[in-house]
Amino acid sequence: GAGVSQTPSNKVTEKGKYVELRCDPISGHTALYWYRQSLGQGPEFLIYFQGTGAADDSGLPNDRFFAVRPEGSVSTLKIQRTERGDSAVYLCASSPQRGLYNEQFFGPGTRLTVL
Amino acid sequence: AQRVTQPEKLLSVFKGAPVELKCNYSYSGSPELFWYVQYSRQRLQLLLRHISRESIKGFTADLNKGETSFHLKKPFAQEEDSAMYYCALKREYGNKLVFGAGTILRVKS
């Protein structure tokens, strides 16, 4: 079946603009994660959804970042007043259910460039 | 806070040579450890996890709680092993993964 998909694959924006990044998880996966990967670093956790609710948003760097998952499937990561430091690859992952031993399946990422 | 350290940014070996990618972690509880791999122009994918105790593509990794390490090993490297490798940790009561910075493995012919 189809894996996790993310759109757009690339996004170039100007400092101060608003952007939305979309994630389509694997069908039936109840858990969804957002990570951010800066150049030369490993992915860094942002937020985790279980169903429609954000179960852990401790990784969101500040209140310019917000994510939703209104129907428990597709999720949108929203960044307001973008800054050059927000430039990174934003990764989405999904897993079948909560619990200790469930594999996270990653999408291809969205490369965000803030000029 | 949890931390994962991969001390080598780049490891270059010849085909057929043994490989060891180092991973150390700091966490006082009972974590679950993973190795993820990203081949060129592909997405990040799970290679193996310590609880499975299996060998995947000839790779193995043993969790050493005394040394807080989870090194990835393969006795004979192959060119197709060239990729970026990330070590990651998950707490026993959590879902998020904490990743190391990654090590590029380059296998030369």
Side-chain angles (χ1 to χ4, degrees):
Chain A
V4 177
S5 62
Q6 292 186 246
T7 54
S9 54
N10 279 286
K11 175 72 178 176
V12 180
T13 191
E14 293 179 343
K15 179 175 179 251
K17 299 288 188 184
Y18 168 83
V19 296
E20 289 189 351
L21 311 179
R22 177 188 167 108
C23 172
D24 270 279
I26 293 171
S27 177
H29 281 192
T30 58
L32 185 146
Y33 310 80
W34 284 99
Y35 293 85
R36 176 169 72 173
Q37 186 169 20
S38 300
L39 195 62
Q41 301 296 319
E44 180 184 21
F45 171 79
L46 295 176
I47 187 169
Y48 153 60
F49 287 90
Q50 183 61 43
T52 60
D56 181 356
D57 64 357
S58 62
L60 295 177
N62 52 58
D63 61 6
R64 295 187 298 105
F65 288 75
F66 189 71
V68 295
R69 196 186 184 200
E71 297 178 358
S73 178
V74 170
S75 176
T76 304
L77 178 66
K78 308 179 181 196
I79 311 174
Q80 298 178 318
R81 305 183 303 280
T82 51
E83 300 178 357
R84 292 196 180 88
D86 299 335
S87 296
V89 175
Y90 289 81
L91 295 170
C92 177
S94 69
S95 68
Q97 59 187 351
R98 72 173 69 202
L100 285 175
Y101 307 126
N102 287 298
E103 178 180 347
Q104 293 184 24
F105 294 84
F106 282 81
T110 293
R111 182 175 297 279
L112 175 66
T113 303
V114 182
L115 301 176
Chain B
Q2 312 87 52
R3 179 177 290 181
V4 176
T5 302
Q6 294 180 250
E8 303 136 330
K9 283 200 175 300
L10 171 67
L11 183 63
S12 189
V13 302
F14 283 102
K15 178 180 158 184
V19 171
E20 182 178 49
L21 299 171
K22 292 185 167 35
C23 172
N24 288 88
Y25 67 90
S26 60
Y27 178 59
S28 56
S30 296
E32 187 176 357
L33 273 296
F34 305 82
W35 278 98
Y36 276 81
V37 61
Q38 189 166 25
Y39 300 102
S40 179
R41 288 184 286 278
Q42 294 188 27
R43 61 187 67 191
L44 198 59
Q45 59 186 280
L46 179 66
L47 179 62
L48 54 79
R49 50 167 48 132
H50 88 268
I51 59 167
S52 300
R53 293 186 161 277
E54 42 185 1
S55 173
I56 305 292
K57 299 184 179 183
F59 284 98
T60 59
D62 290 317
L63 179 60
N64 185 323
K65 292 188 177 181
E67 296 183 358
T68 59
S69 68
F70 188 57
H71 303 327
L72 184 68
K73 300 177 184 179
K74 184 168 182 176
F76 307 105
Q78 298 172 291
E79 289 180 73
E80 54 265 36
D81 296 328
S82 295
M84 173 70 92
Y85 291 80
Y86 294 97
C87 182
L89 172 156
K90 186 162 72 171
R91 297 180 306 180
E92 63 269 56
Y93 302 115
N95 291 278
K96 70 181 184 184
L97 292 169
V98 176
F99 286 87
T103 298
I104 299 169
L105 175 63
R106 194 167 293 155
V107 182
K108 301 175 287 189
S109 58

